[in-house]
Amino acid sequence: MNQPLRDDMDFRAFIGDVKPLAPSNRADAQNHRKRPSEAQLARRESAQEAVDERNFLSDDFVDLLPPFDPIEYRREGIQQGVVDKLRHGGYSVQAQLHLLRRPLAECRRMLFPFIQEAYAHDLRSVMIVHGRGREMDSPANVLRSYLAKWLSQFEEVQAYVSAQPSEGGLGATWVMLRKSERAKANNRERQQKRRG
């Protein structure tokens, strides 16, 4: 008797008398999600209203930017070298927000917590992908114009510039956030240890 046949016989002897499962005894692998309860919907709505109350981003009229002009902003006191390094991808992307093909109101709702959370987690350079339109009044260019307005309304934003073509070009924006007080304290502590 050859070895594979002997192994097969040993296996059958080991497991004994086994019967296959009945088809009705199988697990249902389909995803059956329950609809949220009224209480869950009310809590979600209440939480969204609380976020919307804090959201100071203006949805008033904005002057549309020319579709082929890059955007750039730096707060007073920020050196041009920082902006140049940001423009040329000298900082790593620590977080990204994708706003492609989303309604303007949803983009406004998504941008506010994104910047707040990035700052709270001591992130310094983030990228926002928003797309770019080829026409002055295309939705992507309208979003790009509002984004330029909204980013300058955040105290946490030190600078922003259009990305390089390899990173999304005019359809993406690099954003540099200021250091939080916790990050500044950690930096001072590291420098003190280095000095001895």
Side-chain angles (χ1 to χ4, degrees):
M1 182 180 294
N2 63 14
Q3 184 64 33
L5 185 58
R6 191 174 314 143
D7 289 344
D8 189 41
M9 287 175 58
D10 288 344
F11 179 73
R12 288 177 192 265
F14 180 71
I15 61 170
D17 190 24
V18 177
K19 296 177 187 171
L21 292 175
S24 63
N25 201 13
R26 291 190 177 161
D28 183 10
Q30 293 182 355
N31 189 3
H32 296 287
R33 287 190 166 189
K34 290 183 181 178
R35 306 246 343 125
S37 69
E38 291 294 322
Q40 288 172 326
L41 291 173
R43 281 194 300 271
R44 286 180 191 171
E45 188 176 318
S46 175
Q48 186 61 47
E49 286 174 4
V51 168
D52 288 344
E53 284 178 18
R54 291 190 335 243
N55 191 340
F56 52 78
L57 300 177
S58 170
D59 58 358
D60 293 341
F61 175 79
V62 67
D63 290 324
L64 295 179
L65 300 170
F68 297 102
D69 288 357
I71 58 175
E72 180 178 320
Y73 168 83
R74 67 182 170 117
R75 203 167 288 285
E76 189 175 320
I78 302 302
Q79 297 174 352
Q80 185 62 40
V82 171
V83 175
D84 292 341
K85 186 174 179 181
L86 185 64
R87 178 183 299 109
H88 296 296
Y91 299 101
S92 62
V93 178
Q94 296 176 308
Q96 280 189 2
L97 176 64
H98 291 268
L99 300 176
L100 289 170
R101 296 180 190 86
R102 295 187 187 271
L104 194 62
E106 185 179 348
C107 293
R108 180 179 173 266
R109 276 195 310 272
M110 291 174 70
L111 179 66
F112 185 78
F114 174 75
I115 296 293
Q116 299 291 317
E117 289 174 23
Y119 179 72
H121 288 93
D122 296 328
L123 303 182
R124 296 293 312 281
S125 58
V126 298
M127 181 175 277
I128 301 173
V129 180
H130 46 78
R132 124 186 125 88
R134 300 192 184 282
E135 303 297 325
M136 188 69 121
D137 59 348
S138 70
N141 194 53
V142 171
L143 173 58
R144 189 169 157 265
S145 301
Y146 270 101
L147 188 65
K149 177 180 181 180
W150 291 337
L151 287 173
S152 60
Q153 292 176 346
F154 283 100
E155 288 182 19
E156 295 85 358
V157 173
Q158 287 185 323
Y160 61 82
V161 294
S162 294
Q164 291 293 310
S166 62
E167 299 163 333
L170 297 177
T173 301
W174 276 101
V175 181
M176 175 62 71
L177 302 177
R178 68 180 166 90
K179 282 185 183 176
S180 67
E181 292 303 318
R182 180 176 57 235
K184 287 179 185 177
N186 289 342
N187 200 19
R188 280 193 296 272
E189 186 177 319
R190 264 189 315 221
Q191 290 176 358
Q192 289 295 332
K193 286 180 181 178
R194 251 190 290 165
R195 290 181 189 149

